[in-house]
Amino acid sequence: MHQNFILLLLILSFLSCQKKNKTEIVSRNDSNLLIGKSTEIDSLYPHDAVAFEFFNNARQLYNDEYYDSAVNEIKSSLQIEKGAQALNLAGLIYLKINKDSSIYYFEKAIEDVPSYYFAHNNLSMVLRMKGEFESSIESSTDGIGVARSSEDLWGLYLNRCITYTFNDEFDLAQSDLDSAKLLCPNPELLVEFENWFMYHSGKEGLKEVLN
């Protein structure tokens, strides 16, 4: 559940960028979410000790916003061992530098471990940032197809809901929002997001929390 609470924080950071424009930003908190915290995801970290050290260095530099230095470290890690977590982190780092390179690494992470739903989710977000909504929706759908628990699924539905909203597909967005609310262990966490959705779907204005 921890990773999904961070997912909500990330999604809300997207929504708080601008109140009236459907614009996205990336939060500094995204590395914790997008790399993943579950036991299954933990097994995808580099096994080689030196590769793991480079990986950790890259993650810390990424968190500290030293992206060029982070690129050097993650490249060193990948030269030793190419695994889903390192590829996914490379995608995150390049998201700050070059979105096309970011897409490349997220796709490579998925190619390495097709069930790595965090990478599907990340790919969906960067495609949405590029305005490629149909591809973003497809990636989210792929992530939903491989997620194994309700704790994983509700955040993925919420992410796809955002893309449907950006693409003015409000009925589909509402369906995904309803699914997220059913699966979320604490639906009260979604109140702020629901206000954002209702505003952009024309159903209601934003409540005070987003004013």
Side-chain angles (χ1 to χ4, degrees):
M1 179 176 173
H2 173 68
Q3 66 268 28
N4 289 295
F5 178 70
I6 301 173
L7 173 59
L8 179 64
L9 294 179
L10 175 61
I11 288 172
L12 292 177
S13 78
F14 286 139
L15 307 185
S16 63
C17 179
Q18 292 186 7
K19 292 183 287 186
K20 294 190 177 181
N21 295 320
K22 290 179 283 189
T23 304
E24 295 179 87
I25 59 173
V26 177
S27 166
R28 285 190 63 190
N29 294 325
D30 60 2
S31 62
N32 290 329
L33 156 71
L34 298 172
I35 293 172
K37 293 294 185 182
S38 71
T39 301
E40 179 183 358
I41 298 302
D42 285 344
S43 68
L44 304 181
Y45 284 103
H47 296 94
D48 181 272
V50 178
F52 186 74
E53 182 177 357
F54 281 125
F55 173 88
N56 269 337
N57 291 342
R59 180 167 53 177
Q60 185 59 56
L61 289 163
Y62 169 80
N63 287 336
D64 293 338
E65 301 183 353
Y66 296 113
Y67 304 123
D68 290 338
S69 297
V71 164
N72 293 332
E73 294 293 313
I74 198 61
K75 282 184 175 180
S76 295
S77 179
L78 289 169
Q79 285 176 354
I80 299 169
E81 180 181 343
K82 289 182 172 64
Q85 281 283 32
L87 290 164
N88 185 63
L89 179 56
L92 287 174
I93 296 167
Y94 275 103
L95 183 57
K96 307 294 187 176
I97 301 170
N98 184 302
K99 289 184 175 60
D100 289 333
S101 295
S102 177
I103 289 171
Y104 168 82
Y105 282 107
F106 288 141
E107 288 178 340
K108 285 296 183 181
I110 293 167
E111 182 181 317
D112 184 64
V113 181
S115 62
Y116 189 16
Y117 58 89
F118 280 108
H120 287 287
N121 200 57
N122 298 346
L123 178 60
S124 172
M125 284 195 247
V126 68
L127 289 168
R128 184 169 65 238
M129 290 175 180
K130 287 173 62 68
E132 298 179 18
F133 298 133
E134 295 302 326
S135 295
S136 174
I137 289 165
E138 182 179 349
S139 184
S140 289
T141 301
D142 289 342
I144 289 168
V146 297
R148 298 186 178 183
S149 72
S150 60
E151 290 187 357
D152 303 327
L153 277 168
W154 73 264
L156 290 161
Y157 277 117
L158 201 60
N159 185 45
R160 192 172 66 176
C161 173
I162 294 174
T163 310
Y164 278 137
T165 304
F166 275 57
N167 207 33
D168 296 329
E169 297 180 78
F170 299 122
D171 288 343
L172 292 171
Q174 180 68 66
S175 177
D176 275 359
L177 179 57
D178 291 342
S179 295
K181 289 166 65 178
L182 285 172
L183 294 166
C184 181
N186 184 2
E188 292 182 3
L189 293 173
L190 303 183
V191 170
E192 186 173 353
F193 175 84
E194 188 169 16
N195 291 337
W196 176 89
F197 168 72
M198 293 171 74
Y199 175 86
H200 284 296
S201 65
K203 294 184 178 181
E204 287 187 14
L206 288 172
K207 295 183 180 178
E208 184 177 355
V209 69
L210 286 181
N211 286 339

